Amino acid sequence: MPTPFEGYEVEARLRPSAEAYRFDLDHVLASVVALEAKVPSDAYTAAILGTERVGNGVVVGPSGLVLTMAYLITEAEEVVLTRNDGRRIPAHVLGLDGRSGLGLVQALEPLDLPVITVGSAQDLEAGAPVIAAGAGGRAHAAASKVLARIPFAGYWEYLLDEAIITAPAHPHWSGAALIGPKGDLVGLGSLTLEGRDQNGDTRPLNMFVPAELLPPILDDLARGQSPHPPRPWLGVFAQEMENHVVVVGISPKGPAARAEIKPGDLILAVDGQPVSDLTEFYAVMWSLGEAGVTVPLKILREGDAFEVEVRSMDRNALLKKRRLN
């Protein structure tokens, strides 16, 4: 049976060399596992994220705790982890954190793998050497560099105060480990992006969630509890265009859909405060209170401006509840 990380090998010229590091490279890489999740077809996120999701996870606890990206395991009813030697271990979802985008699963059998030390990306400057590692060992790892640590606003009502941007891009970035110069975990792979090099040509980049976001929420995630009060969620997909926030999609059954917000609408203001980018939009909306608060919007549609009040909700309320055995 093929392993879930086959086909994601990194070009040989980009792989890390063990001699270049002061830590045991293969020992650290052994803490990265492949992760497969199966989601019911009637799950809320099935149409957006699919019913079969494949990515990576990183062993962060001696009892089989594995850190991954929340979008890989949201509404998952079945999770399987695969070690570098091909051994498969069942697991189940423990907790998800919508703010950071991190998720935690529990292996249901001993993993017998090293536990990586959770570090911090706060001391990583542009140009710092790092390793982007998916499951599969050295052939699935890339010797990369930090390009920047910058705020990141996602179109799905998501905001990181500081995201880590790296290059070259890893071909299997979801849940991949970002390993720092000390051999510790400094980030977790979230997205692939496009950037421009010095010649103006586009090239793929990776965005990683900083590892220091995990320790404050780890205990709550391990207990299956939400680490934060739920933020207001409208269910809009929005982008920034020419200093405007433009709605490009609507999440079905979400508050924006009920309020008849439409793709193409421009969000001019939130609670009377003008917004020109996603960061401003989210910051003002989340400052109004917890999920359930009414969010007043000023909308521009086909040249007509109007006010609408949208009753927000907790986005997790629409998710399929995991069955407990």
Side-chain angles (χ1 to χ4, degrees), residues 27 30-31 33 59 61-66 83-85 87 89 107 109-115:
H27 180 81
S31 67
V33 296
V59 182
S63 58
L65 292 179
V66 174
R83 300 177 3 146
N84 291 348
D85 60 6
R87 179 184 158 204
I89 298 101
E109 298 174 6
L111 286 171
D112 298 323
L113 292 176
V115 176

PDB file of all heavy atoms in Angstrom, residues 27 30-31 33 59 61-66 83-85 87 89 107 109-115:
ATOM      1  N   HIS A  27      16.575  12.275  13.615  1.00  0.00           N
ATOM      2  CA  HIS A  27      15.792  12.096  14.848  1.00  0.00           C
ATOM      3  C   HIS A  27      14.652  13.111  14.902  1.00  0.00           C
ATOM      4  O   HIS A  27      13.515  12.765  15.226  1.00  0.00           O
ATOM      5  CB  HIS A  27      16.715  12.260  16.064  1.00  0.00           C
ATOM      6  CG  HIS A  27      16.020  12.086  17.379  1.00  0.00           C
ATOM      7  ND1 HIS A  27      15.754  10.846  17.928  1.00  0.00           N
ATOM      8  CD2 HIS A  27      15.534  13.005  18.271  1.00  0.00           C
ATOM      9  CE1 HIS A  27      15.138  11.004  19.085  1.00  0.00           C
ATOM     10  NE2 HIS A  27      14.995  12.300  19.319  1.00  0.00           N
ATOM     11  N   ALA A  30      11.869  12.420  12.364  1.00  0.00           N
ATOM     12  CA  ALA A  30      11.031  11.269  12.704  1.00  0.00           C
ATOM     13  C   ALA A  30       9.789  11.666  13.484  1.00  0.00           C
ATOM     14  O   ALA A  30       8.838  10.884  13.599  1.00  0.00           O
ATOM     15  CB  ALA A  30      11.845  10.246  13.496  1.00  0.00           C
ATOM     16  N   SER A  31       9.759  12.879  14.032  1.00  0.00           N
ATOM     17  CA  SER A  31       8.587  13.324  14.795  1.00  0.00           C
ATOM     18  C   SER A  31       7.456  13.806  13.892  1.00  0.00           C
ATOM     19  O   SER A  31       6.366  14.109  14.382  1.00  0.00           O
ATOM     20  CB  SER A  31       8.983  14.444  15.760  1.00  0.00           C
ATOM     21  OG  SER A  31       9.362  15.610  15.045  1.00  0.00           O
ATOM     22  N   VAL A  33       4.653  13.101  11.077  1.00  0.00           N
ATOM     23  CA  VAL A  33       3.864  11.974  10.571  1.00  0.00           C
ATOM     24  C   VAL A  33       2.906  12.465   9.499  1.00  0.00           C
ATOM     25  O   VAL A  33       2.546  13.638   9.460  1.00  0.00           O
ATOM     26  CB  VAL A  33       3.065  11.285  11.698  1.00  0.00           C
ATOM     27  CG1 VAL A  33       3.996  10.656  12.714  1.00  0.00           C
ATOM     28  CG2 VAL A  33       2.122  12.276  12.388  1.00  0.00           C
ATOM     29  N   VAL A  59       4.551  15.282  16.333  1.00  0.00           N
ATOM     30  CA  VAL A  59       4.390  14.739  17.690  1.00  0.00           C
ATOM     31  C   VAL A  59       4.911  15.757  18.696  1.00  0.00           C
ATOM     32  O   VAL A  59       6.094  16.095  18.703  1.00  0.00           O
ATOM     33  CB  VAL A  59       5.146  13.408  17.833  1.00  0.00           C
ATOM     34  CG1 VAL A  59       4.915  12.826  19.234  1.00  0.00           C
ATOM     35  CG2 VAL A  59       4.708  12.411  16.773  1.00  0.00           C
ATOM     36  N   GLY A  61       3.747  15.599  22.172  1.00  0.00           N
ATOM     37  CA  GLY A  61       3.550  15.117  23.529  1.00  0.00           C
ATOM     38  C   GLY A  61       3.895  13.642  23.635  1.00  0.00           C
ATOM     39  O   GLY A  61       3.673  12.874  22.700  1.00  0.00           O
ATOM     40  N   PRO A  62       4.444  13.210  24.788  1.00  0.00           N
ATOM     41  CA  PRO A  62       4.879  11.819  24.937  1.00  0.00           C
ATOM     42  C   PRO A  62       3.736  10.821  24.941  1.00  0.00           C
ATOM     43  O   PRO A  62       3.946   9.633  24.718  1.00  0.00           O
ATOM     44  CB  PRO A  62       5.618  11.831  26.281  1.00  0.00           C
ATOM     45  CG  PRO A  62       5.031  12.991  27.026  1.00  0.00           C
ATOM     46  CD  PRO A  62       4.718  14.015  25.982  1.00  0.00           C
ATOM     47  N   SER A  63       2.524  11.287  25.163  1.00  0.00           N
ATOM     48  CA  SER A  63       1.377  10.373  25.195  1.00  0.00           C
ATOM     49  C   SER A  63       0.684  10.265  23.839  1.00  0.00           C
ATOM     50  O   SER A  63      -0.440   9.785  23.751  1.00  0.00           O
ATOM     51  CB  SER A  63       0.369  10.866  26.248  1.00  0.00           C
ATOM     52  OG  SER A  63      -0.058  12.194  25.961  1.00  0.00           O
ATOM     53  N   GLY A  64       1.368  10.691  22.772  1.00  0.00           N
ATOM     54  CA  GLY A  64       0.777  10.551  21.438  1.00  0.00           C
ATOM     55  C   GLY A  64      -0.006  11.752  20.983  1.00  0.00           C
ATOM     56  O   GLY A  64      -0.876  11.633  20.109  1.00  0.00           O
ATOM     57  N   LEU A  65       0.290  12.939  21.552  1.00  0.00           N
ATOM     58  CA  LEU A  65      -0.357  14.164  21.086  1.00  0.00           C
ATOM     59  C   LEU A  65       0.306  14.628  19.800  1.00  0.00           C
ATOM     60  O   LEU A  65       1.534  14.752  19.731  1.00  0.00           O
ATOM     61  CB  LEU A  65      -0.244  15.265  22.140  1.00  0.00           C
ATOM     62  CG  LEU A  65      -1.025  15.084  23.439  1.00  0.00           C
ATOM     63  CD1 LEU A  65      -0.766  16.257  24.376  1.00  0.00           C
ATOM     64  CD2 LEU A  65      -2.518  14.958  23.152  1.00  0.00           C
ATOM     65  N   VAL A  66      -0.499  14.892  18.786  1.00  0.00           N
ATOM     66  CA  VAL A  66       0.012  15.293  17.476  1.00  0.00           C
ATOM     67  C   VAL A  66      -0.634  16.605  17.075  1.00  0.00           C
ATOM     68  O   VAL A  66      -1.865  16.726  17.044  1.00  0.00           O
ATOM     69  CB  VAL A  66      -0.263  14.203  16.423  1.00  0.00           C
ATOM     70  CG1 VAL A  66       0.138  14.686  15.027  1.00  0.00           C
ATOM     71  CG2 VAL A  66       0.486  12.927  16.772  1.00  0.00           C
ATOM     72  N   ARG A  83       3.648   6.728  10.147  1.00  0.00           N
ATOM     73  CA  ARG A  83       5.043   7.002  10.450  1.00  0.00           C
ATOM     74  C   ARG A  83       5.889   6.928   9.181  1.00  0.00           C
ATOM     75  O   ARG A  83       5.437   6.438   8.138  1.00  0.00           O
ATOM     76  CB  ARG A  83       5.581   5.986  11.477  1.00  0.00           C
ATOM     77  CG  ARG A  83       4.846   5.995  12.782  1.00  0.00           C
ATOM     78  CD  ARG A  83       5.323   4.949  13.780  1.00  0.00           C
ATOM     79  NE  ARG A  83       6.468   4.142  13.366  1.00  0.00           N
ATOM     80  CZ  ARG A  83       7.394   3.692  14.202  1.00  0.00           C
ATOM     81  NH1 ARG A  83       7.326   4.000  15.496  1.00  0.00           N
ATOM     82  NH2 ARG A  83       8.376   2.939  13.778  1.00  0.00           N
ATOM     83  N   ASN A  84       7.132   7.365   9.286  1.00  0.00           N
ATOM     84  CA  ASN A  84       8.019   7.332   8.130  1.00  0.00           C
ATOM     85  C   ASN A  84       8.290   5.920   7.621  1.00  0.00           C
ATOM     86  O   ASN A  84       8.618   5.733   6.441  1.00  0.00           O
ATOM     87  CB  ASN A  84       9.343   8.017   8.456  1.00  0.00           C
ATOM     88  CG  ASN A  84       9.184   9.519   8.630  1.00  0.00           C
ATOM     89  OD1 ASN A  84       8.146  10.084   8.298  1.00  0.00           O
ATOM     90  ND2 ASN A  84      10.213  10.172   9.160  1.00  0.00           N
ATOM     91  N   ASP A  85       8.155   4.914   8.515  1.00  0.00           N
ATOM     92  CA  ASP A  85       8.391   3.528   8.090  1.00  0.00           C
ATOM     93  C   ASP A  85       7.138   2.879   7.514  1.00  0.00           C
ATOM     94  O   ASP A  85       7.149   1.686   7.189  1.00  0.00           O
ATOM     95  CB  ASP A  85       8.932   2.694   9.246  1.00  0.00           C
ATOM     96  CG  ASP A  85       7.974   2.632  10.450  1.00  0.00           C
ATOM     97  OD1 ASP A  85       6.836   3.155  10.340  1.00  0.00           O
ATOM     98  OD2 ASP A  85       8.362   2.070  11.500  1.00  0.00           O
ATOM     99  N   ARG A  87       4.178   2.465   9.039  1.00  0.00           N
ATOM    100  CA  ARG A  87       3.221   1.957  10.031  1.00  0.00           C
ATOM    101  C   ARG A  87       2.098   2.956  10.235  1.00  0.00           C
ATOM    102  O   ARG A  87       2.319   4.152  10.396  1.00  0.00           O
ATOM    103  CB  ARG A  87       3.946   1.703  11.359  1.00  0.00           C
ATOM    104  CG  ARG A  87       3.011   1.193  12.449  1.00  0.00           C
ATOM    105  CD  ARG A  87       3.746   1.060  13.772  1.00  0.00           C
ATOM    106  NE  ARG A  87       2.812   1.095  14.882  1.00  0.00           N
ATOM    107  CZ  ARG A  87       3.126   1.459  16.116  1.00  0.00           C
ATOM    108  NH1 ARG A  87       4.369   1.810  16.402  1.00  0.00           N
ATOM    109  NH2 ARG A  87       2.217   1.478  17.069  1.00  0.00           N
ATOM    110  N   ILE A  89      -1.325   4.278  12.343  1.00  0.00           N
ATOM    111  CA  ILE A  89      -1.861   4.306  13.708  1.00  0.00           C
ATOM    112  C   ILE A  89      -3.160   5.103  13.699  1.00  0.00           C
ATOM    113  O   ILE A  89      -3.182   6.250  13.228  1.00  0.00           O
ATOM    114  CB  ILE A  89      -0.857   4.952  14.694  1.00  0.00           C
ATOM    115  CG1 ILE A  89       0.443   4.154  14.758  1.00  0.00           C
ATOM    116  CG2 ILE A  89      -1.466   5.074  16.085  1.00  0.00           C
ATOM    117  CD1 ILE A  89       1.562   4.741  13.965  1.00  0.00           C
ATOM    118  N   ALA A 107      -3.144   9.992  19.224  1.00  0.00           N
ATOM    119  CA  ALA A 107      -2.915   8.650  18.707  1.00  0.00           C
ATOM    120  C   ALA A 107      -3.544   7.630  19.644  1.00  0.00           C
ATOM    121  O   ALA A 107      -3.443   7.756  20.870  1.00  0.00           O
ATOM    122  CB  ALA A 107      -1.422   8.387  18.547  1.00  0.00           C
ATOM    123  N   GLU A 109      -2.814   4.370  19.608  1.00  0.00           N
ATOM    124  CA  GLU A 109      -1.826   3.329  19.895  1.00  0.00           C
ATOM    125  C   GLU A 109      -0.483   4.025  20.080  1.00  0.00           C
ATOM    126  O   GLU A 109      -0.302   5.153  19.616  1.00  0.00           O
ATOM    127  CB  GLU A 109      -1.737   2.324  18.736  1.00  0.00           C
ATOM    128  CG  GLU A 109      -3.025   1.564  18.470  1.00  0.00           C
ATOM    129  CD  GLU A 109      -2.922   0.692  17.226  1.00  0.00           C
ATOM    130  OE1 GLU A 109      -1.807   0.602  16.644  1.00  0.00           O
ATOM    131  OE2 GLU A 109      -3.942   0.116  16.825  1.00  0.00           O
ATOM    132  N   PRO A 110       0.470   3.376  20.751  1.00  0.00           N
ATOM    133  CA  PRO A 110       1.784   4.017  20.922  1.00  0.00           C
ATOM    134  C   PRO A 110       2.423   4.357  19.575  1.00  0.00           C
ATOM    135  O   PRO A 110       2.475   3.520  18.671  1.00  0.00           O
ATOM    136  CB  PRO A 110       2.598   2.967  21.682  1.00  0.00           C
ATOM    137  CG  PRO A 110       1.575   2.137  22.402  1.00  0.00           C
ATOM    138  CD  PRO A 110       0.386   2.088  21.486  1.00  0.00           C
ATOM    139  N   LEU A 111       2.914   5.591  19.464  1.00  0.00           N
ATOM    140  CA  LEU A 111       3.585   6.010  18.238  1.00  0.00           C
ATOM    141  C   LEU A 111       5.048   5.599  18.224  1.00  0.00           C
ATOM    142  O   LEU A 111       5.631   5.367  17.160  1.00  0.00           O
ATOM    143  CB  LEU A 111       3.496   7.539  18.091  1.00  0.00           C
ATOM    144  CG  LEU A 111       2.145   8.115  17.691  1.00  0.00           C
ATOM    145  CD1 LEU A 111       2.162   9.634  17.801  1.00  0.00           C
ATOM    146  CD2 LEU A 111       1.786   7.699  16.269  1.00  0.00           C
ATOM    147  N   ASP A 112       5.653   5.531  19.412  1.00  0.00           N
ATOM    148  CA  ASP A 112       7.069   5.191  19.535  1.00  0.00           C
ATOM    149  C   ASP A 112       7.929   6.098  18.652  1.00  0.00           C
ATOM    150  O   ASP A 112       8.802   5.641  17.907  1.00  0.00           O
ATOM    151  CB  ASP A 112       7.314   3.715  19.159  1.00  0.00           C
ATOM    152  CG  ASP A 112       6.577   2.762  20.090  1.00  0.00           C
ATOM    153  OD1 ASP A 112       6.493   3.056  21.291  1.00  0.00           O
ATOM    154  OD2 ASP A 112       6.071   1.732  19.604  1.00  0.00           O
ATOM    155  N   LEU A 113       7.675   7.396  18.752  1.00  0.00           N
ATOM    156  CA  LEU A 113       8.392   8.391  17.962  1.00  0.00           C
ATOM    157  C   LEU A 113       8.935   9.495  18.869  1.00  0.00           C
ATOM    158  O   LEU A 113       8.396   9.735  19.949  1.00  0.00           O
ATOM    159  CB  LEU A 113       7.466   9.012  16.909  1.00  0.00           C
ATOM    160  CG  LEU A 113       6.989   8.106  15.779  1.00  0.00           C
ATOM    161  CD1 LEU A 113       6.012   8.858  14.886  1.00  0.00           C
ATOM    162  CD2 LEU A 113       8.170   7.586  14.959  1.00  0.00           C
ATOM    163  N   PRO A 114       9.978  10.187  18.428  1.00  0.00           N
ATOM    164  CA  PRO A 114      10.486  11.311  19.221  1.00  0.00           C
ATOM    165  C   PRO A 114       9.446  12.422  19.345  1.00  0.00           C
ATOM    166  O   PRO A 114       8.630  12.625  18.443  1.00  0.00           O
ATOM    167  CB  PRO A 114      11.698  11.790  18.413  1.00  0.00           C
ATOM    168  CG  PRO A 114      12.026  10.694  17.468  1.00  0.00           C
ATOM    169  CD  PRO A 114      10.752   9.956  17.207  1.00  0.00           C
ATOM    170  N   VAL A 115       9.507  13.109  20.464  1.00  0.00           N
ATOM    171  CA  VAL A 115       8.660  14.281  20.681  1.00  0.00           C
ATOM    172  C   VAL A 115       9.492  15.519  20.381  1.00  0.00           C
ATOM    173  O   VAL A 115      10.571  15.703  20.953  1.00  0.00           O
ATOM    174  CB  VAL A 115       8.155  14.328  22.141  1.00  0.00           C
ATOM    175  CG1 VAL A 115       7.360  15.620  22.384  1.00  0.00           C
ATOM    176  CG2 VAL A 115       7.302  13.109  22.440  1.00  0.00           C
TER     177      VAL A 115
END
